[in-house]
Amino acid sequence: MLYLWLKALHIIAVVCWFAGLFYLPRLFVYHAMSEDQTSRERFQVMERKLYRGIMIPSMIATLLLGIWMIALNPSLFGTGAWLHAKLTLVALLIVYHHMCGAQLKRFARNQNTHSHVFYRWFNEVPVLFLLAIVILVVVKPF
């Protein structure tokens, strides 16, 4: 029963983390397009609160709950390479998360060098991670 509660909480944390991963780069798009100081300051506040208040706690909860589930059921590592592939993608997603944090700091210092077009493409990256991770977990193709 504990395992099912952990799984449910893990899925909730993943959804919250991805909500932030989808929304923060979208804020970057609008921030890069903004032309007045008031708008830039507003985006800086929104970006900081989203990153620190939602994304970081959700990422930590996702990781801790996932580790806890694996600790309770280490036999998962023997069910195929899907879990190893998923964990690799999660590691890369953490890198992407920190890249978002680095961009946030550049915006906060008014040192952004990218256009809104760059951020529109940057915003698509988590979609690819989500597709691959969900397929690996549900289909377990290998």
Side-chain angles (χ1 to χ4, degrees):
M1 187 66 157
L2 173 63
Y3 187 82
L4 294 177
W5 278 103
L6 293 175
K7 186 185 267 188
L9 293 172
H10 177 71
I11 292 168
I12 292 166
V14 168
V15 169
C16 293
W17 187 23
F18 268 95
L21 289 170
F22 289 143
Y23 189 49
L24 184 62
R26 178 54 49 184
L27 288 176
F28 292 160
V29 169
Y30 301 134
H31 195 159
M33 293 172 60
S34 65
E35 297 178 2
D36 61 286
Q37 188 60 27
T38 304
S39 294
R40 286 191 289 268
E41 289 172 0
R42 184 179 318 115
F43 284 118
Q44 287 174 0
V45 170
M46 292 169 66
E47 292 158 358
R48 184 183 71 249
K49 286 183 176 184
L50 176 62
Y51 190 76
R52 291 183 185 166
I54 295 174
M55 291 174 64
I56 290 175
S58 297
M59 178 187 67
I60 291 169
T62 297
L63 297 175
L64 291 177
L65 291 162
I67 290 167
W68 196 354
M69 287 190 305
I70 290 171
L72 288 177
N73 193 6
S75 63
L76 283 172
F77 281 111
T79 61
W82 70 270
L83 181 61
H84 301 280
K86 176 199 171 193
L87 294 175
T88 300
L89 290 174
V90 170
L92 292 172
L93 191 60
I94 293 167
V95 170
Y96 178 82
H97 173 102
H98 289 292
M99 289 173 65
C100 287
Q103 289 302 127
L104 183 142
K105 290 176 184 174
R106 285 187 196 98
F107 273 114
R109 294 188 309 260
N110 293 315
Q111 295 175 341
N112 173 50
T113 58
H114 299 294
S115 73
H116 66 94
V117 175
F118 170 83
Y119 292 112
R120 288 180 193 281
W121 286 103
F122 186 71
N123 191 39
E124 300 305 320
V125 172
V127 173
L128 301 175
F129 280 107
L130 182 63
L131 289 171
I133 289 169
V134 169
I135 289 168
L136 284 169
V137 171
V138 174
V139 178
K140 295 178 179 62
F142 44 86

